[in-house]
Amino acid sequence: MKPLLTVESITKHFADTPVVKNVSFTVYPGEIFALLGPSGCGKTTTLRIIAGFEKADTGKIAMAERLLANDAVHISPELRGIGLVFQDYALFPHKNVLDNVAFGLRKVPKKTRRERATEVLDMVGMKDFHARLPHHLSGGEQQRVALARSIIARPQLLLLDEPFSSLDPGLRQTTRDEVRALLKGEGISAILVTHDQEEALSFAERLAVMKEGTVEQIGTPEAVYQQPETAYVADFLGQTNFINASVKDGIAETPFGRVEVDGAATGEMLLSIRPECLTMAAPDPGNSGLKKGRIVGQAFKGHYFTYRVEIEGASYFVQTDSYCRFQIGDTVQLKVLSAVAVSN
Ligand code: ATP
């Protein structure tokens, strides 16, 4: 499949500070993509360059094989066929819902604008809210109006900049699920910018993990979570245990016994082992070769527990389901289900 959007080696400095460094990725038609990274890593600047609000110093942006920007070309934002949704919704306070949405479709007759606004408000579940002013809507409702306004002109690509972060946690998840279902239903490609790993993993079909202006890894949520290439990606996407281990022909010696590491590698390596990839049991007299540890911490997380286990002065996080009960001070043995080698 040909990509819809191609971002090729874009670089951007503010004064002398580089904030986007040689960033490249593609988004396919109908795909939901995410840029994930901590505050200040250059996500919004990358999005603003795609939208055309910022000019990259170098690099190229193309959409559906149409050149949008390079060293010599800069198509203005309103001619790019790109829709935008921001964190603060940016609705006009004095316009009602219908007029706010219709505003997204300028330069067409008023009647057509209103018909199309009615249609997209139905799509986002805001049929009965036409006459309301924004300040009489909840945060989730305002966000749906902002979404309706951004898709009314049928953009080829929608850019979503932290659109759910000002909603409270319950509403955030439902609004996110509804927006995702709408985008997939309508076949709209989107790029979500977020610093929330859980949001990126559940919303996007592929994501780019960013660090200090660069892309560290691009992949499906499962791939970046389960096969992180670097310690940074492993750590940013969730809790993990790092251990240094000797690996011979793909088998690592760890404090929890031998474990197969992806790829037949040999040498001293840094391994990432997720807490859910460790299992914990009372010491097995038949397996005295396995080192014993002591539980030094415990946290109840609802449907699971996280334990902290100390073995020979080092501590490890282990996740168990909430039926697997141990007490602080218990002696246990750990086994490892899977480990991945990462670069530092
Ligand atoms: P956040 O999630 O906090 O918005 P981000 O990853 O989106 O972070 P950017 O907003 O792209 O990061 O900012 C990247 C860096 O560039 C930051 O250090 C920021 O202060 C700086 N920056 C952004 N816009 C400008 C500007 N117009 N002038 C100068 N510096 C800027």
Side-chain angles (χ1 to χ4, degrees), residues 14-15 19-20 37-46 54 161-162 193 195:
F14 286 117
V19 294
V20 178
S39 183
C41 73
K43 308 178 296 289
T44 296
T45 305
T46 304
E54 298 281 357
D161 192 355
E162 303 266 8
V193 154
H195 61 271

Side-chain angles (χ1 to χ4, degrees), residues 37-339:
S39 183
C41 73
K43 308 178 296 289
T44 296
T45 305
T46 304
L47 210 64
R48 289 174 57 79
I49 290 170
I50 296 168
F53 297 130
E54 298 281 357
K55 283 186 186 175
D57 302 334
T58 58
K60 180 181 149 188
I61 314 261
M63 195 157 73
E65 296 182 353
R66 174 181 171 227
L67 179 64
L68 296 184
N70 67 6
D71 290 350
V73 172
H74 181 84
I75 305 288
S76 61
E78 65 280 10
L79 300 177
R80 292 194 177 198
I82 293 177
L84 292 153
V85 181
F86 300 103
Q87 180 181 346
D88 60 2
Y89 324 131
L91 299 176
F92 295 112
H94 57 283
K95 283 189 198 284
N96 68 23
V97 163
L98 190 74
D99 291 340
N100 257 291
V101 174
F103 182 81
L105 199 65
R106 278 149 291 175
K107 295 181 191 158
V108 295
K110 196 169 176 187
K111 186 165 169 287
T112 316
R113 253 193 286 164
R114 292 191 147 245
E115 280 167 9
R116 182 79 185 123
T118 303
E119 207 177 299
V120 287
L121 279 167
D122 280 4
M123 262 160 63
V124 299
M126 294 292 289
K127 189 181 182 166
D128 302 323
F129 293 78
H130 288 193
R132 290 256 196 114
L133 290 173
H135 62 273
H136 290 146
L137 298 172
S138 71
E141 289 161 354
Q142 289 186 51
Q143 192 53 288
R144 283 194 257 163
V145 175
L147 179 71
R149 185 180 59 186
S150 66
I151 60 175
I152 192 171
R154 297 196 172 95
Q156 285 183 284
L157 176 68
L158 192 63
L159 306 180
L160 304 151
D161 192 355
E162 303 266 8
F164 313 115
S165 55
S166 50
L167 303 175
D168 63 51
L171 194 57
R172 192 181 308 161
Q173 185 159 349
T174 40
T175 310
R176 196 164 78 194
D177 293 348
E178 285 166 10
V179 169
R180 192 180 195 285
L182 178 81
L183 296 176
K184 290 311 292 174
E186 295 297 309
I188 301 171
S189 310
I191 303 177
L192 170 76
V193 154
T194 181
H195 61 271
D196 178 337
Q197 45 93 8
E198 194 241 312
E199 182 163 292
L201 292 176
S202 57
F203 193 81
E205 291 162 294
R206 278 190 317 131
L207 57 138
V209 184
M210 290 186 71
K211 176 191 177 189
E212 294 166 10
T214 62
V215 170
E216 278 269 301
Q217 188 172 346
I218 297 180
T220 61
E222 294 83 357
V224 291
Y225 184 82
Q226 290 165 354
Q227 280 111 36
E229 286 163 8
T230 64
Y232 172 84
V233 172
D235 198 34
F236 194 74
L237 286 176
Q239 201 169 40
T240 197
N241 299 291
F242 289 116
I243 60 166
N244 289 302
S246 283
V247 184
K248 191 160 184 285
D249 297 330
I251 305 291
E253 297 290 344
T254 76
F256 337 109
R258 306 179 116 207
V259 56
E260 201 174 315
V261 180
D262 272 356
T266 296
E268 291 302 310
M269 285 178 200
L270 181 65
L271 302 185
S272 161
I273 303 174
R274 297 265 180 225
E276 66 272 24
C277 297
L278 285 172
T279 61
M280 190 163 74
D284 173 4
N287 200 350
S288 55
L290 208 58
K291 287 180 180 147
K292 293 189 181 69
R294 205 168 67 86
I295 297 182
V296 294
Q298 177 194 44
F300 179 54
K301 303 282 175 94
H303 57 287
Y304 66 91
F305 275 102
T306 305
Y307 291 95
R308 200 154 59 82
V309 178
E310 231 168 59
I311 302 177
E312 294 179 338
S315 78
Y316 304 95
F317 289 102
V318 183
Q319 186 178 312
T320 69
D321 66 40
S322 50
Y323 299 102
C324 181
R325 295 300 308 269
F326 289 91
Q327 305 298 330
I328 290 180
D330 283 356
T331 300
V332 290
Q333 281 176 323
L334 304 185
K335 278 190 191 159
V336 58
L337 302 174
S338 72

